[in-house]
Amino acid sequence: MANCMLNFRAAGSCWLLAAALCLLLAGGCSTRQGKGPEVSAPSFMLPEDESAAPLTQTELAALRSTGQIDRNVPADAMPDVARQYKYFLRKGRNTMSVFSKRSEQYLAYARKVFRSRGMPDELAYLAIVESGYKADAKSQAGAAGAWQFMPYTGMKYGLDQDWWMDERLDPYKATEAAADYLQKLYGDFGDWPTAIAAYNAGEGKMSRAKQGTGGRDFFEVRARNHKLDDKARLREETKQYVPRFLAVTKIMRNLPQLGFDSIEPDKAPGMLRFTARPGTDLMAFSSACRLGWEEFRVYNQHHKRPVTSTERATFVYVPARCEREATAFLRSPQANAYADWRPAKVTTSADSWDRISRRCNVPVARLKAANPGTGRLRAGEMVLVPRSVNMSATAVAALDGKKSGSAREMPQGKNKRLKSGDRRTPERVTAASGIGHKLQPDETLYAVARKYNVSLRDLQDCNQIDNPNKVRAGCILRIPDGKATAAPASGGSSGRVGKAGRKTTYTVQAKDSLWNIARKHIVSVDDLKRWNQVDEKSLRAGTTLVVDLD
């Protein structure tokens, strides 16, 4: 470490320098000292054999390089940094090569996130230590994603996990959450090595270890760890976690010099973040972008279903080359074809796709397309079905026992209001005035209301309908006079999401950032900046921001 590893302020620590250099050169000195403590680490990081070839002058120079985080590493911590460093240069070289290449897609964005908050951009390398930047990485302990968030911590920092998605697997949103968490840890502990150790061990564990040892930072706590009882001690994994991060950071700063392939994050294929409306058909989206489904899934592993959540807008990613096709599709009426669908529980194993199809007038093929991999239905499982369908066991039994009969046409001028349970259905109602709409087999009243930008209640009142579940395909619906307007087109790329329509305002709070404000409203930071002519530095508590919701 140039001017850090060799710059000891206390003259009495010269023996530490000699010991560190002895280890680095991996000569006879290392054999006399014996092997260091075994490193408890993930399977891809085994203890380095200290008898391996000594470091070259180029390798030593890279090891001595420093950045913001590794500028003041104590000399007695350097042997472990060197051990991790040598591992990735020797035995783990192929692993380091794969990880560095995989990180190329994400580093530019991660660095931008950290820089925008005044944090060291070297923190972007932490995801290499966590997962090798594997977006769908999962641990036996339950951590997931490139940044390995546990479920509770992920939810705490804005990564939703439900039937629809697991946003821990969104490498871009997870990077923003990791920045939030690391910023919080830095505020708690006051220095980056300790914050990084807490990211691995947990803030509670690190706080107790710090209090129990009286150490001011991670390195002092590590040196005094033996004074704690077994339960309070930092695990060997955590003790090696910071040295491992520092070693990876030094290698990433010097890839070509160390013989690794160069990476150019700023030239990596661009990705665009789009805000998709509730119920967006992802298979149709991928097809519109001329992407195979498997390729599309690689970019969007946080989505568990071929349809986006029908409860809220969500993020979807496609290569920048698909911007025109993606924007056109998301603005089209067919984009959110499943907006009026919902996840529902199968109440009886006697139910089937055919029975559901007959209850909601939706073809079996479409039901199965929305539920890929779901064969015979079993009681208790969740399926995606139209919002209007009755999934109760009673409805299933009633369908089997229902006698066939022809539906009666309601006489003109005698539109008696339909009560819940009334067997008469308005197969055809002529629109006496205003706009008329013929209900299609795959439509519900909810979808029609959205189409004409009217409320469901107004639509029901205008057509004397008490129970929307009883309305059948083919009937002509009157659209309330003076209330129908064309539904606004929405959808556009984020990073610069092109949105226009309903607007709201938001008052900036003391600890707000543009990132968390954007997350709250499911919009992009770039759009917030564009709408309000504001940036992170000029953001002030009390400022009122305009947010475009459509």
Side-chain angles (χ1 to χ4, degrees):
M1 296 177 64
N3 303 321
C4 177
M5 177 178 164
L6 304 178
N7 183 18
F8 303 122
R9 296 177 183 173
S13 60
C14 289
W15 67 273
L16 291 174
L17 171 60
L21 289 176
C22 183
L23 174 63
L24 298 183
L25 295 174
C29 192
S30 65
T31 59
R32 287 195 298 272
Q33 290 178 353
K35 199 165 184 176
E38 186 175 48
V39 180
S40 174
S43 58
F44 60 80
M45 288 180 285
L46 300 174
E48 169 63 9
D49 181 358
E50 292 180 11
S51 65
L55 296 176
T56 66
Q57 290 301 314
T58 299
E59 291 169 339
L60 280 170
L63 178 61
R64 293 171 181 147
S65 68
T66 60
Q68 284 182 265
I69 297 176
D70 59 351
R71 190 169 293 148
N72 296 301
V73 179
D76 58 351
M78 280 307 300
D80 277 340
V81 176
R83 185 178 295 110
Q84 295 286 345
Y85 178 79
K86 287 183 67 180
Y87 169 76
F88 284 115
L89 290 183
R90 305 285 191 270
K91 190 173 181 179
R93 188 175 189 86
N94 287 341
T95 298
M96 188 70 226
S97 181
V98 170
F99 287 1
S100 62
K101 193 64 181 174
R102 188 187 291 148
S103 71
E104 186 174 30
Q105 178 63 52
Y106 308 108
L107 280 178
Y109 184 77
R111 287 168 175 165
K112 177 183 176 182
V113 169
F114 289 116
R115 285 171 184 162
S116 72
R117 302 165 185 232
M119 302 164 73
D121 61 10
E122 303 151 60
L123 291 168
Y125 302 136
L126 194 60
I128 295 178
V129 177
E130 284 290 330
S131 68
Y133 263 110
K134 195 173 189 305
D136 61 346
K138 294 181 180 179
S139 76
Q140 291 182 346
W147 290 90
Q148 288 291 280
F149 274 97
M150 293 295 286
Y152 173 77
T153 309
M155 291 293 289
K156 184 177 178 181
Y157 287 91
L159 301 177
D160 290 335
Q161 301 146 59
D162 55 25
W163 190 79
W164 296 101
M165 61 173 51
D166 185 345
E167 289 186 322
R168 296 177 298 168
L169 305 186
D170 177 342
Y172 303 100
K173 194 169 182 181
T175 295
E176 297 160 16
D180 286 342
Y181 188 29
L182 285 164
Q183 196 166 39
K184 189 264 184 189
L185 293 173
Y186 180 78
D188 288 346
F189 296 104
D191 69 272
W192 287 115
T194 311
I196 290 168
Y199 190 92
N200 174 257
E203 54 207 272
K205 178 88 170 182
M206 196 67 217
S207 294
R208 290 188 293 273
K210 191 175 177 183
Q211 183 176 9
T213 61
R216 292 171 296 179
D217 57 26
F218 164 75
F219 295 112
E220 289 191 3
V221 171
R222 183 177 180 274
R224 303 173 190 176
N225 195 48
H226 62 281
K227 295 182 179 181
L228 299 171
D229 61 41
D230 290 343
K231 186 176 180 180
R233 284 179 189 171
L234 297 180
R235 294 175 299 165
E236 196 65 32
E237 177 190 340
T238 300
K239 289 167 61 180
Q240 293 298 329
Y241 186 78
V242 175
R244 189 177 305 138
F245 166 74
L246 298 178
V248 166
T249 297
K250 292 172 185 296
I251 292 172
M252 291 298 293
R253 278 199 298 255
N254 298 278
L255 287 173
Q257 298 91 321
L258 296 172
F260 292 96
D261 290 339
S262 298
I263 62 172
E264 297 182 281
D266 293 331
K267 295 182 180 179
M271 296 296 295
L272 287 178
R273 171 189 276 173
F274 284 82
T275 301
R277 290 175 288 175
T280 295
D281 184 340
L282 293 179
M283 283 191 168
F285 188 21
S286 65
S287 179
C289 293
R290 298 173 187 169
L291 297 172
W293 177 242
E294 290 307 315
E295 181 184 359
F296 182 85
R297 284 277 298 134
V298 169
Y299 306 136
N300 296 280
Q301 296 183 75
H302 53 297
H303 286 285
K304 298 178 181 178
R305 315 287 164 190
V307 176
T308 67
S309 170
T310 56
E311 304 301 324
R312 63 190 183 280
T314 51
F315 290 146
V316 183
Y317 302 90
V318 296
R321 68 178 187 273
C322 303
E323 180 173 12
R324 181 181 299 176
E325 295 86 351
T327 301
F329 174 79
L330 290 176
R331 287 177 176 170
S332 68
Q334 65 267 31
N336 58 331
Y338 294 94
D340 57 335
W341 289 43
R342 64 184 171 101
K345 184 179 291 187
V346 177
T347 56
T348 170
S349 295
D351 210 348
S352 67
W353 290 123
D354 179 66
R355 287 181 170 91
I356 293 174
S357 174
R358 282 186 279 156
R359 296 202 301 278
C360 64
N361 290 321
V362 172
V364 170
R366 189 171 184 219
L367 289 168
K368 288 186 174 181
N371 297 274
T374 305
R376 182 175 179 179
L377 301 182
R378 292 176 174 80
E381 70 178 310
M382 300 293 291
V383 292
L384 183 62
V385 294
R387 197 175 298 269
S388 61
V389 68
N390 188 339
M391 293 292 289
S392 70
T394 303
V396 176
L399 183 66
D400 289 339
K402 187 177 181 181
K403 295 181 179 179
S404 61
S406 59
R408 288 180 293 174
E409 179 181 325
M410 291 184 69
Q412 190 69 22
K414 296 183 180 179
N415 289 347
K416 214 172 178 183
R417 190 174 184 87
L418 297 181
K419 302 298 181 182
S420 178
D422 195 332
R423 299 181 66 83
R424 289 175 296 173
T425 58
E427 293 259 331
R428 184 168 66 253
V429 179
T430 304
S433 62
I435 301 173
H437 178 89
K438 183 176 182 180
L439 194 66
Q440 301 302 308
D442 59 350
E443 279 188 317
T444 65
L445 289 185
Y446 179 78
V448 175
R450 284 177 60 91
K451 180 180 181 67
Y452 293 99
N453 202 26
V454 299
S455 74
L456 181 59
R457 174 50 57 191
D458 284 342
L459 186 62
Q460 287 181 236
D461 288 344
C462 184
N463 291 277
Q464 300 292 297
I465 298 171
D466 235 9
N467 187 351
N469 293 330
K470 299 297 181 179
V471 181
R472 295 291 181 263
C475 72
I476 306 299
L477 299 172
R478 288 194 301 270
I479 307 303
D481 290 337
K483 295 185 178 181
T485 60
S490 63
S493 73
S494 182
R496 54 179 185 279
V497 180
K499 290 179 159 245
R502 292 182 299 122
K503 291 182 172 60
T504 188
T505 58
Y506 176 80
T507 302
V508 179
Q509 305 301 307
K511 294 185 178 181
D512 272 341
S513 68
L514 288 177
W515 292 102
N516 58 42
I517 296 171
R519 182 180 299 129
K520 287 176 185 176
H521 295 89
I522 316 293
V523 297
S524 73
V525 170
D526 287 343
D527 273 343
L528 279 179
K529 291 179 179 178
R530 177 167 55 82
W531 294 330
N532 298 279
Q533 299 299 304
V534 68
D535 57 28
E536 204 69 58
K537 292 182 179 179
S538 62
L539 191 66
R540 297 288 184 271
T543 302
T544 299
L545 300 181
V546 173
V547 182
D548 197 329
L549 297 177
D550 283 324

